[in-house]
Amino acid sequence: MTGALADSAALPPIRRLSAAELADCIALTDDRGWAAEPAKWQLLFAAGEVYGAPDPAGGLAGMVALTRYGSQLAAIGMLVVASRHGRQGLGGRLMQEVMTRAGGAVLVLTATDMGRPLYERLGFTAVDTSIQHAGVFAAKPGDGSRLVTSPLRQAGLGPVLTADAEAFGADRRRVLTGLAGLADSFAGCGEPLTGYAAAWQNGGTRVIGPVVAPDAATASALISQAAAGRQGQIRLDVPGRQAELSRWLASRGLPAARQTTLMVRGGSLPGARERLWAQANVAIG
């Protein structure tokens, strides 16, 4: 390709996108063969900031999302460049844009094998993996039956925010408030609350996450309750360090389907990460 579209620097300036441009974001993911995932995009626009490079030919040439957790931590996700603009430097420009906007925050992202070399050049280092488990949940007798849970709603998120901030190491108020509106199952356990799990429909897949719990037994019980009686595909994104939960999920019909790399720049991840058993989404942590 020649002319203005051949050089990413010749594209219009990167700007923040609005939720009204959701269709352009989904069209760009479709260009790369990714699933549409409308609920994920709804959450990204509600809790974070989406930036894009408009394409003079229409739509977007590329995009990336930034989700801030206070001033100390931020997640980067959904870096996508249209196939017609690939390998022209646009991915690096988009990353520099959100890295600058994040200021001095510690940055975290989940990298595919294709994206990892770019992130390494930008100073990110690998600290863990993220294992995607997917399939049809096959419960076994007793799964989740001994755990007493109560439903959670936006009006009563205070205990959830406290437990989550201790585990995640930062305030995820905007993400959890958005999830409370999306989730068809959002339950906590313990008094005071020590764990919770959210489950929400994302296109044709039921996503369970985040899951925060003091131990693997509680995490698996929360997941069992969130999956109980549900038909069709279920997905969880589990930190690689939580190998015990990964083995349990595989034994319940949710084998490991995909592995990506958790990467950090600018410091260490805060919080009691051993209590985090599933991500809300790899794009936002």
mmCIF file of all heavy atoms in Angstrom, residues 57-86:
data_model
loop_
_atom_site.group_PDB
_atom_site.id
_atom_site.type_symbol
_atom_site.label_atom_id
_atom_site.label_comp_id
_atom_site.label_asym_id
_atom_site.label_seq_id
_atom_site.Cartn_x
_atom_site.Cartn_y
_atom_site.Cartn_z
ATOM 1 N N ALA A 57 -9.943 6.520 5.500
ATOM 2 C CA ALA A 57 -10.814 5.755 4.624
ATOM 3 C C ALA A 57 -12.099 5.336 5.325
ATOM 4 O O ALA A 57 -12.991 4.758 4.700
ATOM 5 C CB ALA A 57 -10.071 4.522 4.111
ATOM 6 N N GLY A 58 -12.207 5.648 6.637
ATOM 7 C CA GLY A 58 -13.387 5.274 7.412
ATOM 8 C C GLY A 58 -13.049 4.297 8.520
ATOM 9 O O GLY A 58 -12.165 3.453 8.363
ATOM 10 N N GLY A 59 -13.729 4.422 9.643
ATOM 11 C CA GLY A 59 -13.474 3.530 10.770
ATOM 12 C C GLY A 59 -12.196 3.877 11.493
ATOM 13 O O GLY A 59 -11.733 5.021 11.509
ATOM 14 N N LEU A 60 -11.590 2.855 12.102
ATOM 15 C CA LEU A 60 -10.388 3.042 12.904
ATOM 16 C C LEU A 60 -9.205 2.305 12.302
ATOM 17 O O LEU A 60 -9.337 1.175 11.826
ATOM 18 C CB LEU A 60 -10.617 2.528 14.331
ATOM 19 C CG LEU A 60 -11.669 3.248 15.174
ATOM 20 C CD1 LEU A 60 -11.904 2.484 16.472
ATOM 21 C CD2 LEU A 60 -11.220 4.675 15.467
ATOM 22 N N ALA A 61 -8.041 2.957 12.342
ATOM 23 C CA ALA A 61 -6.806 2.287 11.946
ATOM 24 C C ALA A 61 -6.228 1.482 13.102
ATOM 25 O O ALA A 61 -5.533 0.491 12.892
ATOM 26 C CB ALA A 61 -5.789 3.315 11.466
ATOM 27 N N GLY A 62 -6.520 1.909 14.337
ATOM 28 C CA GLY A 62 -6.015 1.209 15.508
ATOM 29 C C GLY A 62 -6.647 1.763 16.762
ATOM 30 O O GLY A 62 -7.243 2.853 16.752
ATOM 31 N N MET A 63 -6.526 1.025 17.869
ATOM 32 C CA MET A 63 -7.113 1.468 19.135
ATOM 33 C C MET A 63 -6.407 0.777 20.296
ATOM 34 O O MET A 63 -5.696 -0.224 20.125
ATOM 35 C CB MET A 63 -8.606 1.145 19.192
ATOM 36 C CG MET A 63 -8.914 -0.330 19.184
ATOM 37 S SD MET A 63 -10.684 -0.669 19.098
ATOM 38 C CE MET A 63 -10.652 -2.468 18.962
ATOM 39 N N VAL A 64 -6.616 1.332 21.499
ATOM 40 C CA VAL A 64 -6.079 0.764 22.725
ATOM 41 C C VAL A 64 -6.897 1.306 23.888
ATOM 42 O O VAL A 64 -7.441 2.408 23.811
ATOM 43 C CB VAL A 64 -4.581 1.114 22.885
ATOM 44 C CG1 VAL A 64 -4.372 2.613 23.079
ATOM 45 C CG2 VAL A 64 -3.943 0.328 24.021
ATOM 46 N N ALA A 65 -7.006 0.527 24.967
ATOM 47 C CA ALA A 65 -7.787 0.943 26.136
ATOM 48 C C ALA A 65 -6.871 1.115 27.343
ATOM 49 O O ALA A 65 -5.896 0.377 27.522
ATOM 50 C CB ALA A 65 -8.863 -0.084 26.448
ATOM 51 N N LEU A 66 -7.206 2.107 28.168
ATOM 52 C CA LEU A 66 -6.484 2.393 29.408
ATOM 53 C C LEU A 66 -7.499 2.430 30.541
ATOM 54 O O LEU A 66 -8.483 3.168 30.481
ATOM 55 C CB LEU A 66 -5.766 3.741 29.305
ATOM 56 C CG LEU A 66 -5.054 4.240 30.566
ATOM 57 C CD1 LEU A 66 -3.826 3.383 30.864
ATOM 58 C CD2 LEU A 66 -4.642 5.705 30.411
ATOM 59 N N THR A 67 -7.268 1.623 31.582
ATOM 60 C CA THR A 67 -8.139 1.610 32.752
ATOM 61 C C THR A 67 -7.303 1.996 33.954
ATOM 62 O O THR A 67 -6.348 1.299 34.309
ATOM 63 C CB THR A 67 -8.774 0.228 32.969
ATOM 64 O OG1 THR A 67 -9.422 -0.188 31.767
ATOM 65 C CG2 THR A 67 -9.806 0.282 34.084
ATOM 66 N N ARG A 68 -7.652 3.115 34.584
ATOM 67 C CA ARG A 68 -6.881 3.622 35.720
ATOM 68 C C ARG A 68 -7.467 3.112 37.031
ATOM 69 O O ARG A 68 -8.672 3.090 37.221
ATOM 70 C CB ARG A 68 -6.907 5.152 35.737
ATOM 71 C CG ARG A 68 -6.437 5.824 34.463
ATOM 72 C CD ARG A 68 -6.658 7.327 34.572
ATOM 73 N NE ARG A 68 -6.512 8.006 33.310
ATOM 74 C CZ ARG A 68 -5.401 8.620 32.904
ATOM 75 N NH1 ARG A 68 -4.338 8.604 33.690
ATOM 76 N NH2 ARG A 68 -5.352 9.240 31.739
ATOM 77 N N TYR A 69 -6.566 2.766 37.958
ATOM 78 C CA TYR A 69 -6.956 2.415 39.313
ATOM 79 C C TYR A 69 -6.249 3.393 40.249
ATOM 80 O O TYR A 69 -5.166 3.111 40.753
ATOM 81 C CB TYR A 69 -6.579 0.963 39.610
ATOM 82 C CG TYR A 69 -7.267 0.000 38.666
ATOM 83 C CD1 TYR A 69 -6.564 -0.631 37.647
ATOM 84 C CD2 TYR A 69 -8.632 -0.236 38.770
ATOM 85 C CE1 TYR A 69 -7.209 -1.495 36.769
ATOM 86 C CE2 TYR A 69 -9.280 -1.091 37.882
ATOM 87 C CZ TYR A 69 -8.559 -1.717 36.896
ATOM 88 O OH TYR A 69 -9.204 -2.561 36.005
ATOM 89 N N GLY A 70 -6.871 4.560 40.411
ATOM 90 C CA GLY A 70 -6.210 5.629 41.121
ATOM 91 C C GLY A 70 -5.045 6.152 40.296
ATOM 92 O O GLY A 70 -5.031 6.026 39.063
ATOM 93 N N SER A 71 -4.058 6.724 40.977
ATOM 94 C CA SER A 71 -2.906 7.286 40.263
ATOM 95 C C SER A 71 -1.701 6.363 40.266
ATOM 96 O O SER A 71 -0.694 6.663 39.620
ATOM 97 C CB SER A 71 -2.504 8.626 40.902
ATOM 98 O OG SER A 71 -2.144 8.423 42.275
ATOM 99 N N GLN A 72 -1.815 5.203 40.961
ATOM 100 C CA GLN A 72 -0.651 4.347 41.139
ATOM 101 C C GLN A 72 -0.617 3.126 40.240
ATOM 102 O O GLN A 72 0.430 2.500 40.070
ATOM 103 C CB GLN A 72 -0.573 3.884 42.607
ATOM 104 C CG GLN A 72 -0.521 5.011 43.612
ATOM 105 C CD GLN A 72 0.657 5.942 43.377
ATOM 106 O OE1 GLN A 72 1.787 5.492 43.242
ATOM 107 N NE2 GLN A 72 0.390 7.239 43.319
ATOM 108 N N LEU A 73 -1.770 2.756 39.655
ATOM 109 C CA LEU A 73 -1.834 1.538 38.854
ATOM 110 C C LEU A 73 -2.790 1.741 37.683
ATOM 111 O O LEU A 73 -3.843 2.375 37.837
ATOM 112 C CB LEU A 73 -2.323 0.368 39.715
ATOM 113 C CG LEU A 73 -2.470 -1.003 39.040
ATOM 114 C CD1 LEU A 73 -1.102 -1.560 38.638
ATOM 115 C CD2 LEU A 73 -3.181 -1.986 39.966
ATOM 116 N N ALA A 74 -2.437 1.217 36.520
ATOM 117 C CA ALA A 74 -3.308 1.305 35.339
ATOM 118 C C ALA A 74 -3.110 0.070 34.473
ATOM 119 O O ALA A 74 -2.007 -0.487 34.398
ATOM 120 C CB ALA A 74 -3.012 2.568 34.529
ATOM 121 N N ALA A 75 -4.188 -0.367 33.849
ATOM 122 C CA ALA A 75 -4.147 -1.524 32.957
ATOM 123 C C ALA A 75 -4.294 -1.065 31.511
ATOM 124 O O ALA A 75 -5.095 -0.172 31.204
ATOM 125 C CB ALA A 75 -5.260 -2.503 33.303
ATOM 126 N N ILE A 76 -3.528 -1.686 30.630
ATOM 127 C CA ILE A 76 -3.610 -1.421 29.200
ATOM 128 C C ILE A 76 -4.136 -2.683 28.522
ATOM 129 O O ILE A 76 -3.713 -3.797 28.849
ATOM 130 C CB ILE A 76 -2.233 -1.043 28.616
ATOM 131 C CG1 ILE A 76 -1.735 0.261 29.243
ATOM 132 C CG2 ILE A 76 -2.305 -0.906 27.090
ATOM 133 C CD1 ILE A 76 -0.318 0.634 28.830
ATOM 134 N N GLY A 77 -5.062 -2.513 27.595
ATOM 135 C CA GLY A 77 -5.606 -3.675 26.907
ATOM 136 C C GLY A 77 -6.187 -3.303 25.554
ATOM 137 O O GLY A 77 -6.294 -2.129 25.196
ATOM 138 N N MET A 78 -6.588 -4.311 24.815
ATOM 139 C CA MET A 78 -7.248 -4.144 23.521
ATOM 140 C C MET A 78 -6.437 -3.316 22.534
ATOM 141 O O MET A 78 -6.971 -2.489 21.803
ATOM 142 C CB MET A 78 -8.647 -3.544 23.706
ATOM 143 C CG MET A 78 -9.591 -4.412 24.508
ATOM 144 S SD MET A 78 -9.707 -6.116 23.896
ATOM 145 C CE MET A 78 -10.443 -5.849 22.279
ATOM 146 N N LEU A 79 -5.130 -3.531 22.523
ATOM 147 C CA LEU A 79 -4.312 -2.906 21.483
ATOM 148 C C LEU A 79 -4.555 -3.659 20.188
ATOM 149 O O LEU A 79 -4.182 -4.829 20.050
ATOM 150 C CB LEU A 79 -2.835 -2.948 21.863
ATOM 151 C CG LEU A 79 -1.869 -2.405 20.804
ATOM 152 C CD1 LEU A 79 -2.085 -0.910 20.577
ATOM 153 C CD2 LEU A 79 -0.421 -2.686 21.205
ATOM 154 N N VAL A 80 -5.192 -3.005 19.233
ATOM 155 C CA VAL A 80 -5.535 -3.625 17.956
ATOM 156 C C VAL A 80 -5.196 -2.658 16.828
ATOM 157 O O VAL A 80 -5.579 -1.481 16.886
ATOM 158 C CB VAL A 80 -7.038 -3.986 17.872
ATOM 159 C CG1 VAL A 80 -7.310 -4.781 16.604
ATOM 160 C CG2 VAL A 80 -7.500 -4.763 19.093
ATOM 161 N N VAL A 81 -4.499 -3.139 15.838
ATOM 162 C CA VAL A 81 -4.189 -2.357 14.644
ATOM 163 C C VAL A 81 -4.802 -3.069 13.442
ATOM 164 O O VAL A 81 -4.663 -4.289 13.302
ATOM 165 C CB VAL A 81 -2.667 -2.194 14.460
ATOM 166 C CG1 VAL A 81 -2.347 -1.511 13.127
ATOM 167 C CG2 VAL A 81 -2.072 -1.411 15.623
ATOM 168 N N ALA A 82 -5.489 -2.330 12.600
ATOM 169 C CA ALA A 82 -6.113 -2.914 11.411
ATOM 170 C C ALA A 82 -5.056 -3.604 10.555
ATOM 171 O O ALA A 82 -3.915 -3.142 10.442
ATOM 172 C CB ALA A 82 -6.827 -1.836 10.606
ATOM 173 N N SER A 83 -5.438 -4.718 9.947
ATOM 174 C CA SER A 83 -4.491 -5.484 9.152
ATOM 175 C C SER A 83 -3.854 -4.642 8.049
ATOM 176 O O SER A 83 -2.675 -4.806 7.730
ATOM 177 C CB SER A 83 -5.188 -6.706 8.547
ATOM 178 O OG SER A 83 -6.334 -6.322 7.799
ATOM 179 N N ARG A 84 -4.604 -3.692 7.503
ATOM 180 C CA ARG A 84 -4.064 -2.860 6.420
ATOM 181 C C ARG A 84 -3.037 -1.847 6.915
ATOM 182 O O ARG A 84 -2.356 -1.200 6.115
ATOM 183 C CB ARG A 84 -5.213 -2.128 5.710
ATOM 184 C CG ARG A 84 -6.021 -1.204 6.607
ATOM 185 C CD ARG A 84 -7.291 -0.716 5.929
ATOM 186 N NE ARG A 84 -8.112 0.117 6.781
ATOM 187 C CZ ARG A 84 -8.957 -0.313 7.708
ATOM 188 N NH1 ARG A 84 -9.077 -1.617 7.919
ATOM 189 N NH2 ARG A 84 -9.681 0.505 8.435
ATOM 190 N N HIS A 85 -2.941 -1.675 8.235
ATOM 191 C CA HIS A 85 -1.960 -0.748 8.812
ATOM 192 C C HIS A 85 -0.925 -1.478 9.647
ATOM 193 O O HIS A 85 -0.165 -0.833 10.380
ATOM 194 C CB HIS A 85 -2.675 0.298 9.677
ATOM 195 C CG HIS A 85 -3.540 1.229 8.910
ATOM 196 N ND1 HIS A 85 -3.037 2.250 8.132
ATOM 197 C CD2 HIS A 85 -4.893 1.286 8.778
ATOM 198 C CE1 HIS A 85 -4.039 2.909 7.564
ATOM 199 N NE2 HIS A 85 -5.170 2.340 7.936
ATOM 200 N N GLY A 86 -0.876 -2.795 9.559
ATOM 201 C CA GLY A 86 0.060 -3.562 10.364
ATOM 202 C C GLY A 86 1.505 -3.299 10.009
ATOM 203 O O GLY A 86 1.845 -2.957 8.870
#
